[in-house]
Amino acid sequence: PRFLTANETSRGVILHWESPERSPGAITGYALEFRQVAERWELLGVSISGTETRLLVPGLIKDSTYEFRLVAFSSDYMSDPSNSVNISTTGMEVYPSRTQILEVLPQSVLAGLTGGICFLAVAVICSTAAACVMNHRRAARNLKRQQDPPIAFPPNKKPSPSQNSDGSDSSDSLMK
């Protein structure tokens, strides 16, 4: 690529370039490399078509300086890097780029995921509240049991066989 230039806009930086004069075949794409001051070159993970001659770069960090360059490629060819351009975001209104998850997942999947997370959070809160209420009731019941005087003759749920009222199972009834 030749004659790479950069223009600041309200949405980010627009890069312009011209296709290489000579290449062994048709250009299939471009790779954009960037770096901040005194750092190593990184490849921007955007696929740029071989027919494009401009690109909007959003999401730059405010009050930073960037350096950009392009490399053209085809199936069996890779050009030398273009001239590099420096851009400073000092004083620019910089807006972050869209998050990558929004580009990968459809909106309906994101809505379902958000709804599921909210439901899970509400379920955890409700179960925690129910456990606290039950624990409080148990503690109050135990405290009440400790404060009540003991019962002399606790009521039995079921009379034992030796306490039957008709006395049919007792040894005295056999004698009669």
Side-chain angles (χ1 to χ4, degrees):
R2 308 174 298 141
F3 309 117
L4 179 64
T5 60
N7 296 318
E8 298 174 10
T9 68
S10 61
R11 293 179 39 198
V13 173
I14 295 181
L15 300 175
H16 294 274
W17 65 90
E18 291 184 17
S19 299
E21 283 184 335
R22 289 178 269 140
S23 64
I27 299 296
T28 56
Y30 294 98
L32 178 63
E33 295 179 315
F34 73 98
R35 67 179 175 184
Q36 289 182 315
V37 176
E39 292 186 17
R40 61 183 179 89
W41 288 102
E42 294 181 46
L43 186 64
L44 187 66
V46 177
S47 178
I48 306 168
S49 169
T51 59
E52 295 289 326
T53 58
R54 68 183 186 138
L55 175 71
L56 173 65
V57 183
L60 301 175
I61 298 172
K62 193 171 187 166
D63 299 328
S64 296
T65 301
Y66 290 90
E67 189 174 2
F68 294 99
R69 69 182 184 187
L70 279 170
V71 176
F73 60 88
S74 64
S75 60
D76 58 348
Y77 169 76
M78 182 174 256
S79 73
D80 291 329
S82 68
N83 61 298
S84 61
V85 292
N86 293 321
I87 201 77
S88 174
T89 58
T90 303
M92 279 179 62
E93 281 297 321
V94 179
Y95 300 100
S97 63
R98 299 184 322 174
T99 59
Q100 296 297 323
I101 194 166
L102 295 177
E103 295 173 2
V104 174
L105 297 175
Q107 193 171 12
S108 58
V109 173
L110 284 176
L113 185 64
T114 303
I117 290 170
C118 289
F119 176 78
L120 181 64
V122 168
V124 167
I125 290 170
C126 288
S127 62
T128 302
C132 288
V133 166
M134 296 305 292
N135 191 26
H136 179 70
R137 285 183 180 177
R138 185 181 312 125
R141 189 172 45 243
N142 287 340
L143 183 63
K144 184 178 179 188
R145 284 183 186 162
Q146 290 173 357
Q147 291 175 349
D148 286 344
I151 299 175
F153 299 105
N156 288 334
K157 294 180 183 176
K158 208 175 194 182
S160 66
S162 64
Q163 293 177 347
N164 277 344
S165 59
D166 63 357
S168 62
D169 289 340
S170 71
S171 59
D172 289 343
S173 66
L174 292 175
M175 300 274 228
K176 291 182 185 175

